[in-house]
Amino acid sequence: QVQLVESGGGLVQPGGSLRLSCVDSESIFSFYEMGWYRQAPGKGPEWVSTTNASGGRSRYSDSVKDRFTSSRDNAKGTLYLQMNNLKPEDTAVYFCASSYYYTDRSYEYDYWGQGTQVTVSS
């Protein structure tokens, strides 16, 4: 029933920036903790970040901390991931997901978007 739609992916040079968006069509968006995951071909999902319901607190994986920033605008029902200083190893499909928990455990996220491709290449 909850529908999440990611956008903003694309091709970018190393060192460049992208901002991903995740739109939740439901009016209960503000009640959910939100997370970002990414998945490279042939690999399992890798946790990227988690942002609490109010947007006042976020945590990040070691691989992206100090480069990525997650935020949210609950009035717009939108979660963002600002990605700076992108590296080739950031290449993956990025997914947003919603949870009742402030968590990095994939099984605690109940709803997932379809993903948006991010490719970092010279």
Side-chain angles (χ1 to χ4, degrees):
Q1 186 64 40
V2 175
Q3 294 184 328
L4 304 174
V5 180
E6 303 95 334
S7 63
L11 175 64
V12 64
Q13 294 182 336
S17 298
L18 285 173
R19 188 175 76 160
L20 306 183
S21 298
C22 169
V23 178
D24 185 347
S25 63
E26 299 296 324
S27 62
I28 60 173
F29 177 79
S30 63
F31 290 97
Y32 289 97
E33 318 292 348
M34 298 294 298
W36 289 98
Y37 279 78
R38 65 187 184 184
Q39 187 169 13
K43 299 182 179 179
E46 176 191 7
W47 173 72
V48 174
S49 68
T50 298
T51 300
N52 72 346
S54 70
R57 183 165 66 118
S58 295
R59 51 194 284 260
Y60 305 90
S61 68
D62 288 341
S63 62
V64 308
K65 66 180 181 181
D66 302 321
R67 298 189 298 119
F68 291 10
T69 302
S70 183
S71 61
R72 62 195 293 167
D73 185 337
N74 287 342
K76 297 180 179 179
T78 304
L79 174 75
Y80 302 98
L81 184 66
Q82 178 66 46
M83 306 184 295
N84 298 323
N85 191 25
L86 283 161
K87 304 175 180 179
E89 52 263 43
D90 295 319
T91 296
V93 178
Y94 283 71
F95 300 89
C96 66
S98 62
S99 176
Y100 284 113
Y101 305 96
Y102 188 71
T103 181
D104 60 2
R105 299 171 178 174
S106 61
Y107 67 86
E108 291 181 330
Y109 285 88
D110 297 307
Y111 300 98
W112 297 75
Q114 86 290 343
T116 185
Q117 177 71 48
V118 172
T119 302
V120 185
S121 179
S122 298

